[in-house]
Amino acid sequence: MPSGLVALALGGFGIGLTEFLIAGLLPQVASSFTVSEAAAGWLISGYALSVAVGAIALTAATARLPRKQVLLGLVALFVVGNLLSAIAPNYPVMLLGRIVAALCHGSFFGIGSLVARSLVTPEKKSQAVAIMFAGLTVANVLGVPFGALVGERWGWRAAFWAVTAIGVLALAGIAALVPAWAGRVRPATGTDPTPGRSATGAGGANPVLPRSATSADGAADPLPPRSATGAGEAAFDPAQPAAEAGEPDPAPPSGLRAQLRAFRSWQVWLTLAATALSYGGMFGAFSYIAYTFTEVSGFAPADVAWLLMVYGVGLVVGNLVGGRAADRDRDRALVLALFGLTLTLVLFGLLAGSATASVVLVFVMGVTGFASVPGMITRVTDYAHGAALAASANVSASNVGNALGAWLGGLAITAGLGYTSPLYVGAGIALLSTVVMVIAARRARIPRVADRALTS
């Protein structure tokens, strides 16, 4: 794996820390600025809303810019936001810092996933995305305890200074280790990836290999040859994935209008829906897991921190295993991961009264909950022909799913269904995600009449 992936993972780690560490610092921040707990909570919810908006807005605004330069700009925005939080003289400036830092979140992971997959050979693209997201999953394990530990010893501002420093390191790493062509086309040996240049550096379009007769998921499907249009962009067919197994990615669409054409594909919409529902299932259960542990499983409140770390370790494992599985048979891996999450949440609800079973199942919940993430990202970007806007929309979809799951889980508790009810709510949402993914996989193996009709 190329060293540029390490720099991307470091950026993901810093962004993940920013998202998670505030949970352990809220009491200190509220006391420092003399605001209520509810007002301090906006430092979390405001961040989430800014992620959803920034993912689409910034990706659209930077559609024609080189992706490495966009990533550098996003990380710089992240550094500025955390610096504002570290030096904030009052609560409004602190909230502004959180909003500024969050703006980069969705676009970084959306565009970063395209850059990551371009750094490796096609058969390792999901693993490359998983490595980039490993920074986020590790931050999920360390974020809350890191914030609480640093805040207790040196004050909450020290935590934000530390994250700012991580952002500066990520900025330097991306500048030094990620090649300038990353995110466009991974060059074959001896070729120049710069659009408009041939392998020898003379004028001419990049070579585009003929497509094979095997679909990205292994099904036989004769496909038309690709042609080049515009400045190195591949001919867009929303019914087909961008690249076949073992074939290099084509040049992605660069203009906003070209990227919007990606949303003509039913496969893009089905994948976005499956993403939102999979996150909704996981967070429908996770948002109230502390109550399940303390009110049902019998753990003390002090035990919740290490139990959440067990869950975080599961996320790390699921991310890496899911990336490797997706590179073998992506749609099958996604269906199995989503159905596995459904079964895990049902079993968790049934066995939550057992402390031992709860420890095991919260780990498995993390594994199955995040195993689908790398495959979902490469799937949506394949059918979107590398459109960065679709990759960022996938991040927005996950945040919509988070909000949906947490809302429905809260409704279940409010209705008096008990502290295991969010687990069953999450299982129901995850089952819907499984059904959507099965439909998407089946549509990928039959004639795309409906998909082609969208272009007429």
Side-chain angles (χ1 to χ4, degrees):
M1 290 293 178
S3 56
L5 289 177
V6 177
L8 293 173
L10 181 61
F13 176 68
I15 291 174
L17 278 182
T18 298
E19 180 179 15
F20 299 122
L21 65 79
I22 189 65
L25 298 173
L26 274 185
Q28 291 187 43
V29 174
S31 175
S32 178
F33 292 129
T34 319
V35 296
S36 67
E37 291 83 354
W42 272 100
L43 299 175
I44 296 176
S45 53
Y47 185 98
L49 291 173
S50 184
V51 169
V53 173
I56 302 298
L58 287 184
T59 304
T62 58
R64 291 190 176 275
L65 299 178
R67 287 178 176 170
K68 177 179 177 178
Q69 300 305 316
V70 173
L71 283 180
L72 291 173
L74 291 171
V75 178
L77 193 65
F78 165 79
V79 170
V80 170
N82 281 285
L83 183 60
L84 275 176
S85 295
I87 65 175
N90 52 49
Y91 174 78
V93 175
M94 177 72 176
L95 181 59
L96 176 64
R98 293 287 293 168
I99 291 172
V100 170
L103 286 173
C104 76
H105 185 123
S107 292
F108 179 86
F109 285 108
I111 296 172
S113 65
L114 296 173
V115 170
R117 61 180 286 169
S118 74
L119 298 178
V120 300
T121 53
E123 65 272 12
K124 293 183 178 180
K125 58 188 176 185
S126 293
Q127 294 178 63
V129 171
I131 288 176
M132 188 199 76
F133 270 81
L136 178 64
T137 56
V138 171
N140 196 301
V141 178
L142 300 178
V144 174
F146 172 83
L149 178 63
V150 173
E152 181 181 344
R153 294 199 173 190
W154 298 290
W156 63 266
R157 294 183 188 274
F160 284 97
W161 279 112
V163 175
T164 301
I166 292 171
V168 172
L169 289 176
L171 188 67
I174 292 171
L177 301 176
V178 173
W181 54 260
R184 296 203 293 270
V185 182
R186 187 180 190 277
T189 303
T191 63
D192 185 339
T194 306
R197 298 179 64 188
S198 67
T200 60
N206 286 327
V208 179
L209 300 181
R211 305 180 82 177
S212 67
T214 305
S215 75
D217 296 306
D221 183 20
L223 303 174
R226 242 191 246 108
S227 62
T229 61
E233 292 183 12
F236 193 95
D237 180 358
Q240 309 291 359
E244 308 310 317
E247 185 179 333
D249 291 339
S254 58
L256 179 58
R257 182 176 298 178
Q259 294 200 50
L260 288 173
R261 285 201 294 270
F263 295 94
R264 294 177 178 179
S265 170
W266 280 113
Q267 288 291 349
V268 169
W269 285 107
L270 287 170
T271 309
L272 292 175
T275 295
L277 291 169
S278 66
Y279 273 83
M282 182 168 61
F283 277 85
F286 176 73
S287 297
Y288 305 95
I289 199 70
Y291 294 103
T292 306
F293 285 142
T294 57
E295 302 298 327
V296 181
S297 303
F299 288 101
D303 293 324
V304 172
W306 70 262
L307 288 166
L308 292 180
M309 292 187 70
V310 171
Y311 168 78
V313 172
L315 295 182
V316 176
V317 174
N319 176 54
L320 298 177
V321 172
R324 187 174 294 273
D327 281 333
R328 293 195 180 98
D329 189 333
R330 183 170 60 202
D331 281 2
R332 177 176 294 180
L334 290 174
V335 170
L336 289 176
L338 295 173
F339 188 61
L341 176 61
T342 303
L343 288 180
T344 299
L345 294 176
V346 170
L347 285 174
F348 203 164
L350 294 173
L351 302 175
S354 166
T356 302
S358 295
V359 173
V360 173
L361 288 169
V362 77
F363 171 78
V364 179
M365 177 177 144
V367 173
T368 55
F370 222 83
S372 63
V373 171
M376 287 292 190
I377 292 173
T378 57
R379 192 178 201 280
V380 77
T381 50
D382 274 352
Y383 281 99
H385 290 219
L389 195 60
S392 295
N394 196 71
V395 179
S396 290
S398 68
N399 279 271
V400 170
N402 293 351
L404 174 68
W407 176 62
L408 292 177
L411 286 181
I413 292 177
T414 303
L417 300 179
Y419 290 113
T420 59
S421 60
L423 294 166
Y424 295 116
V425 169
I429 301 173
L431 182 60
L432 285 177
S433 180
T434 307
V435 171
V436 171
M437 191 61 241
V438 169
I439 293 171
R442 289 179 64 86
R443 287 180 66 91
R445 289 169 168 79
I446 60 176
R448 284 82 164 184
V449 176
D451 278 312
R452 290 193 176 97
L454 289 172
T455 64
S456 61

